[in-house]
């Protein structure tokens, strides 16, 4: 027993480990209420995949229903804006699914007209070539939800003949280098690939000790385990919100094999990107 | 280990950094680009205009402000901090004029702004001003001046400089292109400023604002039309230069 500063008497933990064990266990035992709260929280944090048009949820994983040879995933608003302007405007894409999730950082939106500044996770396939799948994910997927997301999208069996390309951004202050930060010309692109990805990437590889975080890391790890060729293009930028210069930093990827056939009119795409920026620019007057 | 020494402005880190001042310099980089050029008989300030919301009155979103009839400045960084600095400088200009019966010199008002900024790097409970400023003007002796201040409170005279978002790119351009020929006359100096901004401004002339001061003349703000004219001329010159180059190679 010990007394705290406030005069309350508390049980001091016993180093011997054997005394008072039963009493401690009683305290730790879950009540029905605890279990109910835990169940409700788990239900709230569930990642649901469904078709927005029919409002029906998918009973199998997305890739099982729509097998693909090329899967391009944009995570974060700048990566999403890049794919919207350069890839999605060069063909007819049909929505095949949408992920709905909630966590402390974001809640996916239900609106029909999605702008890269909002939180959503939508999957499309190219009408003219349905084996090309695209994912626009501008919401934050929490650590406990990443596994669910992977299960619902990739499923739990190996996918053959598929290549995955990921695009995402990270703040340049997370980039570890022995050079001085002022000599870095951000935004800049770095690549990280799985063992089975044999093509040369469009930029230099990410050096140690830098690591990838969140959903892109989960997807890359999944691809490495299941021997799927995958490459992540990570843009280090000093502006994390929707920004023209950051989005344009992804341009070298347009020459990669996975995107080459999908991008048609680059000058037009640049115009579309500029329009997207002006309509979505958060009118912050803090900086002039 | 910055996290232990970056919360209080009055705390030095063991290797001599004042992190809050350095972070304030990062805030400056969030503002759009401003460029200043000191010509022979002219000083030019060019800025990248921030895109304005549909319902916003464009006239109230200004990066170039007159401090007195013969001095003006452009800033990059926190808008509200700039407003405070500009107001204080304007009052100081008039106060000086009433006391000494002479208009301020460009160096004086720059030193005033720099001293004000430095005070805020050495006070408890305050934070540095998150702006850099380019101050231009003519003194009574008729010599054109261009000064730059930053959040630490330092100020230096420059022949040409840039602040804000892509300042590094613009400065490199100026280092290559600021020659005696480039500032030989007023229109060349204006063109140099616009060319420097076009290196980094996304949508061309309509996102540029320009102001000039000529010797013994008040501040002149260029209209959108005048800027477009300059941009068209620059593009023409570029085309002609490229044609000449391709002729030479064939």
């Amino acid at each position: 027993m010990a007394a705290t500063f406030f005069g309350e008497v508390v049980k001091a933990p016993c180093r011997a480990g054997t005394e008072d064990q039963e009493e401690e266990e009683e305290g730790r035992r879950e009540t029905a209420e605890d279990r109910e709260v835990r169940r409700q929280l788990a239900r709230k944090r569930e990642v649901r995949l469904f078709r927005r048009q029919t409002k029906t949820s998918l009973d199998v994983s997305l890739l099982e229903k729509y097998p693909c040879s090329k899967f391009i995933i944009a995570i974060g608003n700048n990566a999403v804006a890049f794919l919207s302007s350069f890839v999605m405007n060069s063909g007819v894409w049909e929505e095949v699914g949408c992920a709905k999730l909630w966590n402390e950082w974001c809640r996916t939106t239900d609106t029909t007209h999605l702008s890269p500044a909002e939180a959503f996770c939508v999957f499309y396939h190219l009408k003219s070539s349905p084996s090309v799948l695209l994912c626009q994910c501008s919401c934050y997927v929490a650590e406990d939800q990443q596994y669910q997301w992977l299960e619902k999208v990739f499923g739990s069996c190996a996918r053959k003949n598929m290549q995955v390309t990921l695009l995402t951004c990270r703040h340049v202050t997370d980039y570890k280098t022995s050079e001085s930060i002022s000599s870095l010309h951000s935004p800049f692109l770095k690549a990280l690939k799985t063992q089975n990805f044999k093509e040369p990437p469009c930029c230099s590889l990410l050096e140690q000790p830098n690591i990838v975080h969140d959903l892109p890391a989960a997807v890359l790890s999944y691809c490495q385990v299941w021997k799927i060729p995958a490459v992540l293009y990570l843009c280090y930028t000093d502006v994390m919100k929707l920004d023209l210069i950051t989005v344009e930093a992804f341009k070298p990827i347009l020459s990669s094999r996975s995107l080459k056939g999908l991008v048609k009119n680059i000058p037009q795409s640049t115009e579309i990107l500029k329009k997207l920026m002006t309509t979505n620019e958060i009118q912050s007057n803090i900086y002039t | 280990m910055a996290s232990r020494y970056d919360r209080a402005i009055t705390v030095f880190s063991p290797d001599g950094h004042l992190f809050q001042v350095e972070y304030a310099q990062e805030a400056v980089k969030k503002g759009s680009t401003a460029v200043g050029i000191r010509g022979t008989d002219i000083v030019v300030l060019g800025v990248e205009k921030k895109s304005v919301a549909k319902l916003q009155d464009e006239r109230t979103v200004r990066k170039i402000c007159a401090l007195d009839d013969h001095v003006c400045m452009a800033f990059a960084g926190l808008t509200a901090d700039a407003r405070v600095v500009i107001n204080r400088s304007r009052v100081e200009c008039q106060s000086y004029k009433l006391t000494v019966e002479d208009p301020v010199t460009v160096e004086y008002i720059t030193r005033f702004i720099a001293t004000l900024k430095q005070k805020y790097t050495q006070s408890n409970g305050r934070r540095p001003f998150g702006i850099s400023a380019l101050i231009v003007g003519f003194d009574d002796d008729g010599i054109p001046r261009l000064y730059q201040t930053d959040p630490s409170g330092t100020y230096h005279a420059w022949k040409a400089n840039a602040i804000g978002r892509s300042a590094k790119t613009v400065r490199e351009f100026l280092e290559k292109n600021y020659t005696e020929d480039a500032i030989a006359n007023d229109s060349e100096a204006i063109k140099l400023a616009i060319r420097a901004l076009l290196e980094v401004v996304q949508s061309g002339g309509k996102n540029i604002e320009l102001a000039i001061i000529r010797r013994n003349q008040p501040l002149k703000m260029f209209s959108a039309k005048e800027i477009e004219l300059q941009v068209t001329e620059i593009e023409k010159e570029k085309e002609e230069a490229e044609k000449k180059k391709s002729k030479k190679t064939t």
Side-chain angles (χ1 to χ4, degrees):
Chain A
M1 296 301 218
T4 65
F5 177 80
F6 302 102
E8 50 181 324
V9 175
V10 294
K11 242 192 265 199
C14 174
R15 287 202 198 188
T18 47
E19 288 178 31
D20 302 328
Q21 220 174 11
E22 277 182 36
E23 283 185 47
E24 280 179 28
E25 271 184 32
E26 238 181 75
R28 267 193 257 124
R29 215 172 287 154
E30 259 189 347
T31 61
E33 200 181 329
D34 291 333
R35 277 193 290 272
E36 183 56 32
V37 166
R38 208 198 296 269
R39 219 176 301 137
Q40 284 202 15
L41 202 62
R43 215 177 314 151
K44 200 169 182 187
R45 295 179 77 82
E46 222 179 275
V47 176
R48 277 176 276 267
L49 221 63
F50 62 101
R51 292 211 64 162
R52 268 199 302 187
Q53 299 93 325
T54 57
K55 295 221 165 92
T56 50
S57 56
L58 269 74
D59 5 292
V60 292
S61 72
L62 189 81
L63 291 188
E64 238 173 277
K65 188 151 185 166
Y66 301 99
C68 75
S69 56
K70 228 187 247 184
F71 195 3
I72 307 164
I73 309 176
I75 301 171
N77 50 13
N78 286 302
V80 163
F82 176 76
L83 282 193
S84 292
S85 326
F86 287 87
V87 177
M88 295 193 71
N89 275 297
S90 303
V92 182
W93 295 82
E94 191 191 357
E95 192 181 311
V96 295
C98 162
K100 196 168 178 177
L101 55 94
W102 174 93
N103 55 54
E104 294 78 5
W105 293 273
C106 83
R107 180 207 307 269
T108 48
T109 184
D110 277 333
T111 52
T112 36
H113 293 293
L114 300 167
S115 88
E118 292 175 51
F120 56 86
C121 181
V122 187
F123 300 87
Y124 305 87
H125 74 182
L126 190 57
K127 256 189 159 166
S128 55
S129 169
S131 68
V132 178
L133 226 67
L134 196 140
C135 169
Q136 299 274 59
C137 181
S138 69
C139 62
Y140 176 70
V141 181
E143 292 94 346
D144 56 314
Q145 294 172 317
Q146 284 159 19
Y147 179 73
Q148 279 189 63
W149 192 96
L150 283 171
E151 283 280 285
K152 298 252 157 81
V153 175
F154 284 83
S156 40
C157 39
R159 303 270 152 229
K160 296 229 163 67
N161 305 322
M162 184 171 85
Q163 192 183 73
V164 177
T165 308
L166 289 145
L167 280 74
T168 193
C169 283
R170 192 84 191 161
H171 203 277
V172 72
T173 47
D174 285 341
Y175 183 65
K176 295 172 185 62
T177 172
S178 50
E179 290 171 40
S180 134
I181 294 282
S182 53
S183 67
L184 289 174
H185 291 261
S186 68
F188 57 90
L189 222 53
K190 289 285 173 189
L192 192 63
K193 57 190 182 74
T194 61
Q195 209 162 9
N196 287 63
F197 187 83
K198 300 299 178 200
E199 266 171 59
C202 304
C203 59
S204 54
L205 291 175
L206 186 66
E207 310 88 349
Q208 288 202 3
N210 293 293
I211 60 170
V212 178
H213 301 77
D214 305 326
L215 188 63
V219 176
L220 261 188
S221 306
Y222 178 93
C223 292
Q224 174 68 4
V225 165
W226 290 105
K227 297 189 168 50
I228 302 171
V231 64
L232 162 69
Y233 290 105
L234 177 53
C235 177
Y236 281 102
T237 173
D238 48 1
V239 182
M240 281 309 282
K241 63 178 177 88
L242 203 59
D243 168 62
L244 185 68
I245 298 172
T246 306
V247 176
E248 289 195 326
F250 282 110
K251 268 184 167 166
I253 304 172
L254 296 175
S255 57
S256 73
R257 213 173 64 164
S258 47
L259 288 189
K260 219 176 200 165
L262 300 173
V263 180
K264 304 230 167 75
N265 194 342
I266 293 185
Q268 196 189 48
S269 302
T270 316
E271 280 311 307
I272 293 168
L273 176 64
K274 281 185 193 158
K275 231 189 217 173
L276 202 73
M277 287 297 145
T278 40
T279 47
N280 284 295
E281 209 170 44
I282 303 158
Q283 289 307 328
S284 160
N285 293 304
I286 300 176
Y287 301 101
T288 300
Chain B
M1 275 286 106
S3 50
R4 296 222 309 260
Y5 304 99
D6 65 357
R7 293 290 175 255
I9 179 59
T10 51
V11 172
F12 272 106
S13 73
D15 56 348
H17 286 278
L18 271 178
F19 283 110
Q20 280 299 304
V21 174
E22 293 182 18
Y23 298 163
Q25 278 161 346
E26 293 301 310
V28 170
K29 288 188 199 156
K30 289 194 145 43
S32 57
T33 320
V35 69
I37 297 204
R38 187 184 81 196
T40 333
D41 304 308
I42 189 174
V43 284
V44 187
L45 277 181
V47 299
E48 180 188 354
K49 256 195 318 200
K50 208 174 91 92
S51 53
V52 167
K54 228 176 175 177
L55 299 172
Q56 209 170 25
D57 190 338
E58 211 182 320
R59 291 170 307 161
T60 57
V61 183
R62 284 266 180 265
K63 260 171 89 81
I64 302 178
C65 309
L67 299 181
D68 202 343
D69 298 327
H70 61 299
V71 188
C72 77
M73 76 172 240
F75 65 90
L78 287 159
T79 322
D81 285 9
R83 191 188 66 234
V84 167
V85 167
I86 289 168
N87 283 345
R88 294 225 203 151
S89 315
R90 284 171 170 170
V91 167
E92 178 62 20
C93 284
Q94 298 315 307
S95 169
Y96 182 94
K97 204 189 271 184
L98 290 167
T99 315
V100 180
E101 293 180 2
D102 275 329
V104 294
T105 59
V106 185
E107 196 266 345
Y108 175 87
I109 197 64
T110 308
R111 196 168 1 110
F112 172 80
I113 293 173
T115 313
L116 176 66
K117 286 183 175 179
Q118 191 279 337
K119 266 195 217 144
Y120 277 64
T121 67
Q122 223 174 1
S123 273
N124 238 340
R126 299 189 190 194
R127 59 163 178 79
F129 284 101
I131 64 160
S132 277
L134 289 170
I135 301 145
V136 295
F138 277 85
D139 288 338
D140 264 348
D141 55 10
I143 299 180
R145 311 262 183 212
L146 164 64
Y147 286 93
Q148 185 235 344
T149 65
D150 66 18
S152 62
T154 55
Y155 73 96
H156 297 282
W158 290 76
K159 294 179 193 163
N161 199 2
I163 53 174
R165 179 92 210 238
S166 317
K168 210 169 181 181
T169 316
V170 177
R171 209 174 299 121
E172 280 164 8
F173 175 87
L174 288 170
E175 282 172 6
K176 274 193 216 136
N177 293 279
Y178 185 93
T179 56
E180 288 309 314
D181 289 334
I183 52 152
N185 58 48
D186 294 356
S187 62
E188 288 303 307
I190 294 170
K191 282 209 187 101
L192 181 62
I194 297 180
R195 275 165 51 215
L197 274 177
L198 286 173
E199 291 285 304
V200 296
V201 165
Q202 298 302 322
S203 351
K206 55 182 161 70
N207 270 15
I208 293 179
E209 216 164 60
L210 203 83
I212 60 166
I213 300 184
R214 287 194 166 100
R215 192 176 290 114
N216 298 323
Q217 286 183 40
L219 166 72
K220 175 181 187 312
M221 293 287 301
F222 272 43
S223 65
K225 236 186 201 172
E226 286 169 312
I227 297 174
E228 267 312 313
L229 272 163
Q230 295 281 343
V231 172
T232 326
E233 255 183 70
I234 290 168
E235 281 172 358
K236 224 196 265 176
E237 282 171 13
K238 217 178 178 180
E239 267 178 49
E240 281 171 11
E242 272 174 15
K243 267 190 204 155
K244 263 190 195 163
K245 218 181 181 181
S246 57
K247 264 189 191 165
K248 263 191 186 166
T249 50
T250 53

